[in-house]
Amino acid sequence: MASASTANAPTIDPSEVSLEELERSVCTSIANGLSPERAAQVLAEDGPNELEKPPKPTLLMLFIMQLTGFVIVLLLCAAVASIVVNGYGPKKHDVLSYTTGMAIFIIVLINACIAAWTEHKAGDALEALTKMTQASIYVVRGGKEIKVEVPTIVRGDIVVLGTGDVVPADLRLAEADDVKVSEMALTGEPDDVAKTWKNKPRREGEPEKLTPENMVFSGCSVKNGKGKGIVVETGMHTRIGRIAQLIADADGGKSKKKCGCLPDTSANATPLQVNLERLGARIGVLAIIVCVVIFVIGVAMDRRDPSNLTGPSWLYMVLIAVTLAVAAIPEGIPLCVTISLSIGCSDMVKKNVLVRKLAAVETLGSASVICSDKTGTLTEGKMTMVKMYAGGVSYIVEGKGFDPEVGRILHADTQAEAGSDMAVKSSLLAALLCCDTTLSKVTDKDTKEERWEPKGNSSEAPIVVAARKVGLSETVVSKEYARVLEVPFSSSRKMMLTVSDVSCRSELCPGGMPLEDGSKYFTVCKGAPNFILDYCSEQLMEDGSVQEMTKDSKDKVLSIVDEYSSMALRVLAIATRSMPKLPFDVDDEEVTTDQKFKACRSGLRLVGLVASIDPDRDGVPESVELARGAGIRVIMITGDYLKTAIAIAHNVKILQKEDDEAAAVDCGKLRPNDEYLSHTDMDALTSSVRVFARARPEDKLEIVKSLQRQGLVTAMTGDGVNDAPALNQANIGVAMGIQGTEVAKGASDMILTDDNFCSIVSAVEKGRTIYAGIQKFVAFIMSVHIAEVLQIFVCIVAGIPVMRTPLQILFLILVTDLPPSIALGMEPGEKTILEEKPRPKSEPVVLGWMWCSMMLNGTILASVIIGVYIVALTYYCDGEVLQANIDTFEDSEDRLMKARTVAFVSLVWSENIRSYTSRSFDKPVWRNMFGNKDMQKAIVLAQLCLYAAVFIPRFSDTILKLSGASIGLHGWLLALAGPAGCLIFCEACKVITVFQMKNYQRSLAAKHKVGDAVEGGKPGVPSADQKEAKCNHIEERTGQNEVSI
C-alpha cells in the first residue's frame, strides 16, 4: 500500500503559519480547492489516504509456529524414531506397534491446534484503526463542492465539515462556526474541544495544549458546528497514522523471521512463555544426554529385545531411547498449562475481565507496575457535579455518574436537605436555561440493561443531572421557557448566553428567585467565573434579596472558585438578568451576534457557581492500597493538566501525603526541546514518578519502554486510540470494554468489561493464584518424569525387564496423571497471596528449591515402585528378577504382564496420593485436605481411567499389555505398598523444602527492601549502582537455594 510522500509533505507547522502561506505551501485555494487534475497528481505521488496494514499470519502459519518449540521438535523426533524403528522390526506389519508414535503425534497436534486457534482469534489494532473513518465526505474541487471517497482525499483538498462528520485527514481549519470536536480517541480527555480558524500564540505561563486550536485530526468526530479545512497530512503521516506506526513498531517481531519464513514473535513473549520455553529446552538437553548415556550403556552391555533375541542390540536400544525420551520429556506440561490458563480465562469473566490471549492471565499476576489511564478507569469517566455555591451558601451534591435518581443536594455545613432551597433551584434552573444537553435512558445492546446517558456537551451533563435531582427536567423547561436568543460558547467569549421568555411570571419557578415587575425576558450567562464576574454588578443572596457586588464580595467568590479549583473541580459561574424588553432591535438585521451579546451581558446578577469533577470510581482507592501492599507500583498517565492530575492522584491514593512534588511531573520534562531524554535519564525519572500529566501517545509508549528496561513487568490500561501503542508495547495491555475504542481493544491482551481499575487488582490476584498452581503441577509432572527415567535406567543397568512400555508411560502421564495435574492448576490461592512481592521477571518457573523437591519426590517414587516391581517379579516369576532368567519361561510374557500391571496400579495409586501431598510445598497433607473440590473429581476420573486400562479386554491386554484380572488379591495388596511409602517419605521431605523456601524468601525480601529504599529517594539511600551490587551480593550468597538447572 502506498504511503504519503515525505518529499512532498509540508516542512512548516501548519498550525502556526497564516492561511495564505499554507495555501501557497500545498498549492491550493480555500475558495476553489484543487483542480481534479492536480488532485489526481497528488494522489499518484502520495498514495491513498489509508493506513498501512502489515500482513497477518494465517491460521496455518500460526499452527506451524506452534511446532517449532524445542520440546515439541524433540517429541516429533521421538515419534518418527519410534515409527521408523518399528517399521524395521519383527512386528512391522502389526498396526499396534505404531501406536506410540501415533499417540505422540496426536498429542502434539492437539496442543498446537488449541494454541494456534487462540492466537488467531486475537483482534488486530491496526485493522480497527482503519475503521475509524467514514466512507465519503464533501470537498471543494475546481470551485465546486463534491462528494469523494475518503481514500482519494489528498493534501491541499478543502474539506467541508458538519456536525456528525468524522474528520478524514489532518486539517488546518480555514473556517469554523462554533466547531467542537471530540478528541477523546487521541488524547483520552472526555470534553469536546472548541476549535477556531485563527492563529492564537500561546501566552506566557499558559500550559501547552495537547492539540492546536486551529487543527482537527483524522478519526475525530465533529460534535457541533460546521467549518472548512485544508488537508495538510494524509494516510500514515496523520496523527492517527503515527499511532499506527507506533503499534507496528511495538509489534516489530512480526517483521522478523525465524526458520527462514515464520514470523518471529519472541520479542512479545510473556514471562511465562519465556520461562517455560527455557525450562523445556533444558529438559530437552537433559533428555538427549540421558538417552545417549542409556543407549551407550545398553549397547555396551548387549541388551537385546526379549521378543527378538537375534536382533541387533542397537535397534532395541533405539526403542528404549524412545521410551526414555517419552519418559523424560514433559509432554503433558504444555497441555496442562493451556488448560489451566483456559480455565483461568473463564474464571476471569466472572471478575469482569475478558482475556484475549491465554498467557495474559499469568502475566498480570507477575506485574510489578500498573500504568493506568485516568478517565474512565480510575475515575467514572462521567463529569459529575459535586459542589455548588448559590445565594452565598455552599452545598454538596451527592451521587456519581449520570443517574439523577441517586444522590441529593445538601447544605455543606449542616448536611440538611437543600433540594428545595430557593438559591439552589434558581441556580440550577438558570443553568439549565443555558444548556443544550438532554438526558435520557438508553438500553445496552449487549446486556439489555437500561442506563442514563446524556446527549450533547459533556460539560453541561452535570448541570442537567443535578437539575433532575431537584425536579427540574430540561425537556419540560425547554417547552415552558421559550428561547429567544442564543449566543454559543466560544474560546474568545469564554461563556454562553441565552435569553428566554418569562412573560407572566413573578418568580423564576415555584420556590425560585423573584423576578422584577414587568420582566419579560431572562438572560443567563454560563461560563468561566473570572470572565462572568467582570460583568456582574449584584449577587443573589440566600433569602432572595440582592446584594451589590463589591470588591470584597467579588474576592470572596473568587476565593471559593480557587478552593474548588485546588480540588481539581471544573467551575462554571451562572449569572442572570431580568429585562422588560430586549436591549436591541429585533427587526434590525444589521445587528450582529456580538452586538446582541454585548447588549445582554451587562448588569448581570451572580446566582451561583457549579463545580464538577470526573469522580474516582468506588473501590479504586482501596484497590490502589491493595496493589501497594502487593508490591505493585500504580502509575497514572493522563492528558489532563498537572494540577488536576495531582488532585485525582491524591483522591485515589496513588499519591500520598508524604510524597513530594517530584512524584508528579508534566510529560514535557520527558522531552525537553521536543527530544526525549537519554535512556539513563529517562529511567532515572520514571523509576520514582507516579503521575505523568499532559501525556501524548508517544510519551506513554516511552514510559512503558523505560519501565521495561528496568526489568519491570508492566501492565498498561487504556481506552483511546492514543493508548494503543503503549497497550501493544506493555507486557500486558488492558483495554476498557465499555468506553474503549476497537483500536484499544485490538491492541490489548485483556479487556475490562466494567472499565473498573478494581477488576485489574482482582485479576492480579487470580493471575498469581494460577501461576502458583502452574508451579505445583509442573513440579508434580516433573517428579513423575524423573521417576520414570530412574526406573528405566535401573532396569537397563541391572538387567531387569523394562518396567513400562512407551505407550504405558504416555497413558500414565496424559490420562491418569493429567486430571490431578489440571486440578493442581485450579488450586485455590492463599489468602495472603496479595501480600507477597511480585516475582522477578527473570525468575524461572521451577526454582532451585523446587528442583530439589522434585528430585527427592521423583527418587522416592522411583524407589518405592521399583521395590514393588521387584517383589512382584519375584512372586510371579518364581523368584527370578533378571531378564535373562525370566526369558527361559515359556509364558514369560504373561508373567511379566502381571508384574508390570502391579507396578502400574501401584504407580497410579501413588500418584493419586501425591496429588494431595503436592497441593502445598510446605504444608502437611491433612491441612485442608479436601479444600480443592476439583481434586476429588480428578482422582475419581483417574481411578476410572486406571480400571479401564487394566480391565477392558483388548485395550488392556493387547494395546497396553496390562491385565488387572490376572494379578489376584496378592497383586492388589502388594500395589498398596506404593502409595503408603510415598505418603510417608514425601511428607517427610517437606521438612527440607520448608528450610529451603525460607532461605529463598529471605533473599527475595532483601532485594525488594533495597529496591524500595532506592525508589524512595530518601537521604542515605543507596544509588542504583549500589542497589545492583547489593542485589548481586545477595544472589551470590543465596545462590545455592535459587539455582535452576
Side-chain angles (χ1 to χ4, degrees), residues 6 41 264 332 414 416 483 571 929 1023:
T6 54
Q41 179 186 349
D264 182 6
T414 65
R483 186 173 293 181
V571 187
M929 186 171 182
S1023 65

Side-chain angles (χ1 to χ4, degrees), residues 420-423 425-426 429 506-515 540 544:
S420 59
D421 282 18
M422 180 277 302
K425 297 189 74 171
S426 299
L429 178 55
S506 59
E507 56 184 2
L508 185 59
C509 65
M513 69 178 188
L515 298 177
L540 178 69

Side-chain angles (χ1 to χ4, degrees), residues 59-133:
L59 183 60
L60 176 62
M61 187 71 72
L62 292 172
F63 174 78
I64 295 172
M65 288 167 60
Q66 309 307 318
L67 304 178
T68 60
F70 188 66
V71 170
I72 298 298
V73 170
L74 282 179
L75 282 173
L76 292 174
C77 290
V80 171
S82 174
I83 291 172
V84 170
V85 170
N86 279 294
Y88 287 96
K91 298 181 180 179
K92 60 183 178 181
H93 298 297
D94 185 0
V95 176
L96 294 178
S97 65
Y98 301 102
T99 51
T100 298
M102 290 188 292
I104 296 174
F105 275 126
I106 291 171
I107 292 163
V108 169
L109 293 178
I110 289 173
N111 190 65
C113 286
I114 293 173
W117 179 249
T118 302
E119 190 167 344
H120 179 70
K121 286 196 302 181
D124 189 352
L126 295 179
E127 186 71 29
L129 271 174
T130 64
K131 299 177 181 178
M132 289 191 62
T133 57

Side-chain angles (χ1 to χ4, degrees), residues 186 208-210 239 243 246 371 635 637-640 665-672 674-677 682 685-686 692-707 709 716 722-723 725-726 729:
L186 283 179
E208 180 186 4
K209 287 181 167 57
L210 290 177
R239 282 212 179 184
I243 290 174
L246 290 173
C371 297
I635 296 175
I637 308 177
T638 177
D640 224 328
V665 300
D666 188 296
C667 282
K669 288 190 176 181
L670 302 178
R671 40 181 164 74
D674 274 342
E675 291 288 335
Y676 281 107
L677 298 170
M682 178 74 79
L685 183 64
T686 59
F692 292 92
R694 308 306 288 162
R696 299 174 181 173
E698 307 93 296
D699 298 335
K700 296 183 178 185
L701 185 61
E702 290 300 322
I703 291 167
V704 170
K705 286 180 178 179
S706 173
L707 294 168
R709 284 196 298 269
M716 172 75 195
N722 61 317
D723 299 318
Q729 174 66 36

